[in-house]
Amino acid sequence: WVRSARRRPSRFAPLRAPAGAMIQDERGILPCTNCIITVPQDKVYTVESFGSFFGLREPGLSFTGVDLCGICIALKSISTRIEQYMVEVPTKTKDNTFVKVQVAVQMGINKDNAENAIYKLDNLSEQLESYVSNIVRAAIPALTLDEAFEKKEEMSSQIQEVLGPQMLEFGFSVHKALVVDLRVNADVVRAMNEVNRQKRLQEAGVMAAEAEKIRTVRAAEASADAADLQGQGIAKQRAAIIEGLRQSLTNGHEEDLSTEDITTLLLTTQYFETLKDIGTKSTCKTYFLPREDEGDLDAQIRSGLLQGQVGLESMLAGGAGGGQTRQQQPRHQPQQQTMQDAPPRRNRRQQSPASHPRQSYTPPPAAAPTPPPAPRAPVTMQIQIPAGVGPGQVLQVQAPDGRVLQVQVPQGAAPGSMIQIQA
């Protein structure tokens, strides 16, 4: 019985409203009467006499009037603390994206109008949700999703400006209205992240291209400056060579060389220097094409020198190959006797056994066959037809292995074009 008595609340204890409610029923400090009350610091009491509003009581000790067992006087209290209400409003943006807007409304009662706060509103949460939803659904559809995220502060100010005067009529003061979150579907969030990622990649690609452009431009400018300086050096070198040639050729003579003679000598010198530079590189291949100009003395000299060099190399290569052939010829060709050099056969019946004894004949050992020489691998070359050479004319081309080939220009081939041969 003692345990059950402890569990049952006392009939003289004040009634408590559910957690989160702002309005509660109260009782006095004396049993069986509400004539004397103590009001806490964070509350305001209303006194009702026979169900009619009689007055407000501030924090402290107060006398409400004559009461018998709570029949004459009833008490209600409302908290003066600022409380926060969370409202979630589903809506759609201008770009047809469904979002859930979470708004936190912080408000408390207005002490000058506490009577309306207690008696006018039946359900504060539902009333507040209706007002906030109306404001949010009027603002969000005019904004895109990105604009909604960017203008959260403006939306909070708009909610506070519209909601404040409306709630003030019911005895509540709105201190702050905050848009704390915009909840979007996970697929939309991933899509937005992918859009931002691609945008960043695009910006990175543009910046990389700009950097590459700058490097290319700088490299081209450096190459142009180097070519300019190289050209100036070559010009000074040629001027010095021309002056040296003029002085060396006219030393002790009064007559001066003409510009054409000096130019011809300079070009010939540069030609042989170019041949020298080409010959020093093992990976370089050069093809000499004759020029059909009988009056070009320099071309005839060069052609004669090249033909002589090629002929000498061919003779040296042929002599080495002929010696090997002569050494190997006895093995390739077996000894044969003609009918005139062979001794006449005698009839076996005319030969006597005594004068011609039987001798054993041992045939000579057969020579091992010599393997045929390895076939030469075909060589493919590309030749540029020089100026002045037309279809049907014959060109002399030197192959990389030293052979001199006669190539006839095919029909339809124009000067400057490339033809391909295989030898």
Side-chain angles (χ1 to χ4, degrees):
W1 180 82
V2 174
R3 291 181 182 178
S4 60
R6 289 179 181 177
R7 292 177 182 176
R8 289 198 301 269
S10 174
R11 63 177 180 175
F12 300 108
L15 297 177
R16 297 291 181 181
M22 297 181 65
I23 302 174
Q24 298 177 355
D25 295 330
E26 302 291 346
R27 289 189 177 183
I29 59 176
L30 298 178
C32 301
T33 182
N34 292 331
C35 58
I36 300 177
I37 60 173
T38 55
V39 181
Q41 183 65 34
D42 60 343
K43 289 185 178 181
V44 174
Y45 278 25
T46 62
V47 179
E48 296 178 356
S49 177
F50 297 100
S52 176
F53 176 73
F54 184 73
L56 295 175
R57 295 294 183 268
E58 298 291 336
L61 180 64
S62 298
F63 177 76
T64 60
V66 180
D67 178 50
L68 179 63
C69 297
I71 299 174
C72 302
I73 297 176
L75 303 174
K76 290 184 180 180
S77 68
I78 185 170
S79 177
T80 59
R81 294 185 180 184
I82 298 175
E83 298 189 12
Q84 176 171 293
Y85 295 87
M86 297 297 299
V87 181
E88 187 177 84
V89 183
T91 183
K92 185 180 71 170
T93 61
K94 186 177 180 180
D95 51 357
N96 297 324
T97 303
F98 288 90
V99 296
K100 291 182 179 180
V101 184
Q102 285 190 344
V103 181
V105 181
Q106 300 172 357
M107 66 179 187
I109 68 166
N110 186 5
K111 291 183 178 181
D112 298 335
N113 199 10
E115 179 183 356
N116 292 338
I118 296 176
Y119 293 106
K120 276 196 172 183
L121 288 180
D122 181 29
N123 193 324
L124 177 61
S125 299
E126 293 183 359
Q127 187 74 18
L128 185 65
E129 183 178 355
S130 299
Y131 280 114
V132 173
S133 299
N134 185 31
I135 300 171
V136 171
R137 286 171 180 164
I140 291 295
L143 304 174
T144 62
L145 185 60
D146 295 335
E147 293 174 351
F149 277 99
E150 294 173 359
K151 298 182 179 180
K152 290 172 62 177
E153 294 295 333
E154 298 179 5
M155 196 182 310
S156 299
S157 301
Q158 183 179 358
I159 294 174
Q160 185 174 354
E161 292 175 359
V162 177
L163 187 62
Q166 295 178 352
M167 297 303 297
L168 189 60
E169 297 179 1
F170 299 102
F172 292 94
S173 298
V174 179
H175 296 272
K176 198 70 174 177
L178 303 174
V179 179
V180 295
D181 191 12
L182 289 175
R183 294 186 179 181
V184 190
N185 194 347
D187 295 336
V188 178
V189 173
R190 283 194 294 268
M192 293 177 62
N193 293 334
E194 185 65 22
V195 169
N196 293 329
R197 176 176 173 272
Q198 294 299 330
K199 184 178 179 181
R200 299 293 183 270
L201 290 177
Q202 182 180 2
E203 293 177 356
V206 171
M207 296 179 65
E210 290 293 336
E212 184 66 23
K213 177 183 176 181
I214 293 174
R215 285 195 294 267
T216 304
V217 171
R218 295 302 182 187
E221 292 177 354
S223 300
D225 294 341
D228 187 14
L229 296 176
Q230 185 179 6
Q232 295 179 7
I234 292 175
K236 293 179 181 180
Q237 180 185 10
R238 290 180 178 177
I241 292 174
I242 292 173
E243 187 63 26
L245 291 174
R246 179 184 288 110
Q247 292 180 2
S248 62
L249 294 177
T250 60
N251 188 12
H253 301 281
E254 297 181 357
E255 60 177 299
D256 194 4
L257 293 176
S258 63
T259 305
E260 183 179 358
D261 296 337
I262 295 176
T263 303
T264 303
L265 183 59
L266 181 62
L267 291 177
T268 305
T269 304
Q270 290 182 352
Y271 174 77
F272 284 107
E273 288 180 356
T274 303
L275 292 180
K276 179 181 177 182
D277 294 338
I278 293 174
T280 55
K281 298 180 181 179
S282 60
T283 58
C284 183
K285 296 181 181 180
T286 309
Y287 304 102
F288 297 96
L289 303 178
R291 181 178 178 184
E292 298 293 336
D293 190 359
E294 297 180 357
D296 191 355
L297 182 60
D298 296 337
Q300 294 178 7
I301 294 175
R302 291 194 298 268
S303 178
L305 292 175
L306 293 175
Q307 291 179 5
Q309 181 68 23
V310 173
L312 180 60
E313 293 178 358
S314 299
M315 291 176 60
L316 294 177
Q324 295 177 0
T325 303
R326 285 192 297 269
Q327 293 176 4
Q328 296 176 0
Q329 184 176 4
R331 291 189 298 175
H332 283 293
Q333 297 179 359
Q335 296 181 357
Q336 298 179 359
Q337 294 181 352
T338 60
M339 295 298 297
Q340 297 178 359
D341 297 336
R345 293 185 179 180
R346 294 183 180 180
N347 193 356
R348 293 183 179 180
R349 295 180 180 178
Q350 297 177 358
Q351 295 178 358
S352 59
S355 59
H356 298 282
R358 180 177 293 180
Q359 297 180 358
S360 62
Y361 173 74
T362 303
T370 304
R376 181 177 297 173
V379 178
T380 302
M381 299 181 297
Q382 289 187 352
I383 303 173
Q384 184 178 9
I385 300 176
V389 179
Q393 296 183 359
V394 179
L395 301 177
Q396 290 185 358
V397 182
Q398 183 180 4
D401 55 359
R403 294 180 297 164
V404 178
L405 307 176
Q406 301 290 335
V407 179
Q408 185 177 5
V409 180
Q411 295 294 332
S417 62
M418 302 295 294
I419 62 174
Q420 184 175 354
I421 65 171
Q422 185 175 7

